[in-house]
Amino acid sequence: MVSLQKARTRCQEKCSIIIRRCILGIRRRNGGEKRGRGGLREREEGRGYATSKGYWTDPYVQYFVRSVGERKAPEINRGYYARVQGMNHLLDAFLRKTKCDCQIVNLGAGLDTTFWRLKDENLMPRKYFEVDFPMIAARKIHNIKTKPPLSKPLIETHSTDSLLLDGHSLDSDRYCIIGADLRDIPGLDDKLKKFHLNPELPTLFLSECVLVYMTPDQSSKLVNWASVTFHTAMFVNYEQVNMLDRFGQVMIENLQRRQCNLAGVEVCQSLESQKERFLKTGWENADALDMMTVYSVIPQDDVARIERLEFLDEKELLQQLLQHYSICWATKDKLKLGLSQVAF
């Protein structure tokens, strides 16, 4: 009985440590643009560390991350792995379903490297858009301008002399970065139209730990705008779920002690509440899985490979962590492309 109690205490202590490490990587959006830089660095260092350990291959993340920082717990690395594999699965399935005759809008893209992966894998959509706060957009544009391995693929996909490059925006034939606030729908709409986002094309929206930093009203207006503006579209959203249980409450309490408020946590109560946000704003179909389920349905031979990379002594803790994040995806399909079939 004593040893069992000690084991539970160790697990609880490690659980608290994991939660604290997790929230370092999700603080980037709280408080708006001024507080975005620190959390963005934590998130990209987390991805950089996971790739350095061999969880997946990303030759471009090194150009955005100065160092991989301190060692990350195996639970964190497996969480990043599940997130990347899950999001990429739906993204690639959408591209195959539309035969790449589509456009992608990455909302709150940060220093994401998906454009370069798609270029290397010959899976480029007609155009790839990224939107983030002007400060973050400016940092990414600076990296692209000063790192030839980033700028060369962009130039290779651009056929004219009209490349637009300024402090907060970049526009080429196939790739566009826009500095904007996602809470300002009219401003967002104007900027996307300026850079030739086409409402007649099948469109995929991506967001990762973004909507949770907006109030439920703000995020509903954003997903409603996407639904109203695009007749054939898919929206894929990764963020927290099951936040009403003890693990979720500890996560929220840790964030609050650091003056970090998840303004949209109300929508993160369950998988049903995640789906409801889309179904109430004009989307025809919506589905959602927690990341533990995603982890169990992505290719298991590769899961077995990454599980050999690092020893994991508390599998229950990994399960708890993955059960508190989810991927929710919604579709509408006027062109009848079969988008509702894009799933796991």
Side-chain angles (χ1 to χ4, degrees):
M1 179 67 74
V2 174
S3 61
L4 179 60
Q5 183 61 42
K6 285 183 178 178
R8 284 176 175 171
T9 301
R10 283 198 305 272
C11 186
Q12 288 171 351
E13 290 172 349
K14 190 166 184 182
C15 178
S16 295
I17 292 170
I18 292 296
I19 289 174
R20 287 198 296 272
R21 288 177 178 173
C22 281
I23 65 178
L24 285 174
I26 63 175
R27 289 177 62 190
R28 64 180 287 245
R29 306 242 157 236
N30 188 63
E33 181 177 3
K34 291 182 179 179
R35 295 181 63 181
R37 184 170 293 174
L40 178 63
R41 183 183 65 250
E42 293 287 349
R43 189 185 80 167
E44 301 311 326
E45 284 183 359
R47 288 179 183 250
Y49 185 84
T51 57
S52 75
K53 296 294 289 185
Y55 281 83
W56 71 92
T57 301
D58 185 345
Y60 298 100
V61 70
Q62 62 182 307
Y63 302 114
F64 292 111
V65 178
R66 293 176 183 173
S67 70
V68 296
E70 64 180 14
R71 180 183 179 273
K72 308 297 187 296
E75 294 89 347
I76 300 293
N77 295 326
R78 293 190 190 185
Y80 273 121
Y81 169 82
R83 171 179 176 173
V84 168
Q85 298 304 313
M87 294 295 289
N88 284 351
H89 172 83
L90 293 177
L91 164 59
D92 293 358
F94 179 88
L95 287 166
R96 288 192 296 270
K97 184 65 74 172
T98 61
K99 299 180 180 177
C100 293
D101 189 20
C102 62
Q103 58 198 355
I104 296 173
V105 183
N106 192 330
L107 301 169
L111 304 180
D112 184 79
T113 59
T114 299
F115 166 78
W116 290 272
R117 177 181 75 83
L118 297 180
K119 166 71 165 55
D120 286 350
E121 296 179 8
N122 198 28
L123 275 175
M124 282 289 294
R126 280 210 205 173
K127 194 163 185 176
Y128 190 95
F129 295 82
E130 294 183 347
V131 184
D132 214 317
F133 287 123
M135 178 189 74
I136 295 171
R139 175 181 169 186
K140 188 165 194 175
I141 291 168
H142 172 76
N143 282 32
I144 292 170
K145 286 166 61 177
T146 57
K147 308 286 176 58
L150 297 177
S151 57
K152 185 180 177 183
L154 189 152
I155 294 169
E156 288 173 350
T157 60
H158 188 71
S159 60
T160 69
D161 296 327
S162 60
L163 181 68
L164 171 66
L165 193 61
D166 61 32
H168 296 129
S169 56
L170 180 158
D171 186 44
S172 70
D173 290 346
R174 308 293 293 277
Y175 182 51
C176 179
I177 299 176
I178 298 169
D181 189 331
L182 298 176
R183 296 166 295 190
D184 176 12
I185 302 299
L188 173 67
D189 187 66
D190 287 345
K191 290 183 178 181
L192 286 169
K193 285 178 179 175
K194 174 184 175 183
F195 294 116
H196 311 297
L197 185 68
N198 183 356
E200 299 303 313
L201 269 182
T203 304
L204 173 64
F205 293 91
L206 303 171
S207 68
E208 299 182 49
C209 289
V210 173
L211 301 186
V212 70
Y213 290 99
M214 305 165 71
T215 66
D217 181 62
Q218 289 168 339
S219 67
S220 291
K221 286 179 178 176
L222 179 63
V223 300
N224 180 68
W225 162 82
S227 171
V228 169
T229 307
F230 300 87
H231 57 67
T232 302
M234 181 173 182
F235 201 119
V236 181
N237 179 49
Y238 169 92
E239 66 183 10
Q240 293 86 347
V241 75
N242 296 325
M243 296 298 279
L244 290 180
D245 67 13
R246 183 56 190 153
F247 190 97
Q249 290 302 303
V250 171
M251 185 182 290
I252 292 170
E253 290 164 8
N254 272 274
L255 284 163
Q256 289 174 340
R257 282 198 290 271
R258 291 161 174 79
Q259 290 85 44
C260 186
N261 177 42
L262 297 179
V265 73
E266 177 186 328
V267 187
C268 301
Q269 294 180 12
S270 66
L271 295 176
E272 288 304 313
S273 63
Q274 287 282 359
K275 291 188 286 186
E276 227 173 77
R277 168 165 48 195
F278 291 95
L279 294 174
K280 287 183 174 179
T281 52
W283 294 84
E284 297 167 359
N285 301 287
D287 209 341
L289 297 175
D290 68 53
M291 294 308 296
M292 191 65 221
T293 304
V294 172
Y295 191 75
S296 71
V297 298
I298 55 181
Q300 291 300 290
D301 56 343
D302 200 51
V303 170
R305 177 190 66 80
I306 66 104
E307 288 184 345
R308 292 192 294 268
L309 295 175
E310 295 180 285
F311 175 71
L312 181 66
D313 58 349
E314 298 285 357
K315 291 189 177 181
E316 181 185 349
L317 186 54
L318 173 67
Q319 182 173 340
Q320 282 188 309
L321 180 64
L322 294 182
Q323 285 173 342
H324 287 81
Y325 285 88
S326 68
I327 293 180
C328 180
W329 64 100
T331 60
K332 53 181 304 187
D333 194 3
K334 182 181 178 181
L335 295 180
K336 301 189 182 306
L337 299 176
L339 295 185
S340 62
Q341 299 167 14
V342 176
F344 288 93

